[in-house]
Structure formats: structure tokens, C-alpha cells
Amino acid sequence: MAKMKTQRTKAKAKDDKDARKLVAQNKKARHDYLVLDTYECGIALTGTEVKSLRMGRASLVDGFAQIDGGEVWLHNVHIPEYAQGTWTNHAARRKRKLLLHRVEIDKLTGKLQETGLTLVPLQLYFYRGRAKVEIALARGKKEYDKRQTLREKQDRREADRAMSAARRRQRSMAR
């Protein structure tokens, strides 16, 4: 019995460890861009940056990624200085190297040759104790595309509301 109990607690601990701990999300990116493909990549950070991220402090709002010299770099992501850091603190908006496989970098390089495509960070999170960034290959939306997307979202919400109201009426009639 005790052996079975410890196996369950180990399995639960493993599930908790495997869970994503979201630090920052770029909600505006899905509004401003049409996401074509997403990639999960590691990020090279200093110690104070990791500590600041573990406190849940970061902003992806103005962030973008670029391929330079066969390496992918993340620009304009704001990770504030660690409060207890000393002279070893980092610059808040420095460019950070993203860790991808060579095949993925080559594929991205080929796709970025097309006009209108860019790399945008969507999420920054911890997975199994490692900092990860989800970047998206995206195309910028025009203003009318943004309005159409909002209209479709609103129509879907109204349809769901009407369906749930009809179900409620149907249940009350059956009683």
C-alpha cells in the first residue's frame, strides 16, 4: 500500500515538473499578425535574468526575432533588472540568443525571404526548469483584417450565447 502511494506522489510530482509555468504572453501579437507557424526554442539568459523571470516579470510587447549570421536573436524583450542583483545585473532590453536546431534556422531563413513575414514572440515560459520562448512566423494584418477577425469573434460569441440560452429553455421545458 505504501509503495503504491509513493508511486502516485512521484507521478504527480513529475506532472507538476512537466507543466508550463507561463511568465509572459503577447496577446496583441495574435491581433496584429496572422500566425502561420510556431516554434518552441530555448533562450540564452544570465543568472539575474532567470531570477527576474522566476518572479514573473517580463514584457514581450515590442519584441521581435531576427536571423543574423546563422543565429536567431530576440530583440526588444523587456526583462527588468533583478532587485537583489548587484553589479552583475543585466541590461533590461539587450538582445538575447535563441536556441534552435540548424535545420529549423535554415527553414526559417528560407521562409523569411518572402516579403511581409516576420518572427514574433508569443509566450515566454518555464518548461522542466528551462526558460523557453514560443516564436511565430507571422504575416502582418491590415486594418480591415483586424476588424473582420473581431467581427467573427463577436459573431461566434453571440452564436454560443444563443445556443446556450436555447439549451436552457429546452431543459426548463422538459422539467
Side-chain angles (χ1 to χ4, degrees):
M1 181 74 172
K3 185 177 182 182
M4 190 173 183
K5 200 175 204 179
T6 58
Q7 286 177 344
R8 271 193 225 130
T9 55
K10 283 182 183 177
K12 183 164 174 30
K14 186 176 185 235
D15 290 341
D16 290 343
K17 188 178 177 184
D18 287 350
R20 282 184 175 188
K21 182 186 173 233
L22 189 65
V23 176
Q25 189 174 14
N26 191 355
K27 292 181 183 177
K28 194 169 165 104
R30 294 210 186 259
H31 175 70
D32 291 341
Y33 297 96
L34 175 66
V35 175
L36 303 175
D37 202 6
T38 60
Y39 297 89
E40 179 184 72
C41 49
I43 182 169
L45 299 171
T46 63
T48 55
E49 287 173 323
V50 174
K51 289 181 180 188
S52 187
L53 285 177
R54 290 211 185 271
M55 293 174 67
R57 302 170 61 203
S59 174
L60 300 174
V61 175
D62 296 329
F64 65 95
Q66 254 184 346
I67 298 176
D68 185 29
E71 295 177 334
V72 184
W73 295 90
L74 189 63
H75 297 270
N76 284 353
V77 171
H78 185 263
I79 300 175
E81 289 186 351
Y82 182 57
Q84 284 80 31
T86 57
W87 58 272
T88 59
N89 245 336
H90 61 278
R93 288 198 181 266
R94 74 176 186 91
K95 70 178 193 177
R96 296 164 177 95
K97 187 176 179 181
L98 296 181
L99 309 173
L100 285 163
H101 291 283
R102 173 62 48 204
V103 175
E104 291 174 323
I105 294 173
D106 293 341
K107 189 193 300 187
L108 280 174
T109 304
K111 287 183 179 179
L112 286 174
Q113 299 301 323
E114 296 178 33
T115 57
L117 292 182
T118 187
L119 288 173
V120 180
L122 297 178
Q123 293 181 343
L124 182 61
Y125 55 90
F126 283 100
Y127 179 69
R128 294 185 176 180
R130 305 229 187 254
K132 302 280 184 180
V133 176
E134 183 179 25
I135 59 172
L137 183 66
R139 176 173 279 123
K141 286 185 183 178
K142 303 280 190 243
E143 197 62 37
Y144 56 85
D145 289 333
K146 294 177 190 178
R147 283 194 298 267
Q148 182 180 358
T149 304
L150 286 174
R151 195 174 306 118
E152 288 171 358
K153 190 175 179 182
Q154 186 178 3
D155 291 345
R156 203 173 316 117
R157 193 178 303 131
E158 287 175 6
D160 290 343
R161 228 179 260 142
M163 294 286 285
S164 62
R167 275 191 232 115
R168 276 195 302 267
R169 279 194 304 272
Q170 197 175 32
R171 282 189 210 130
S172 66
M173 294 270 210
R175 290 182 189 176

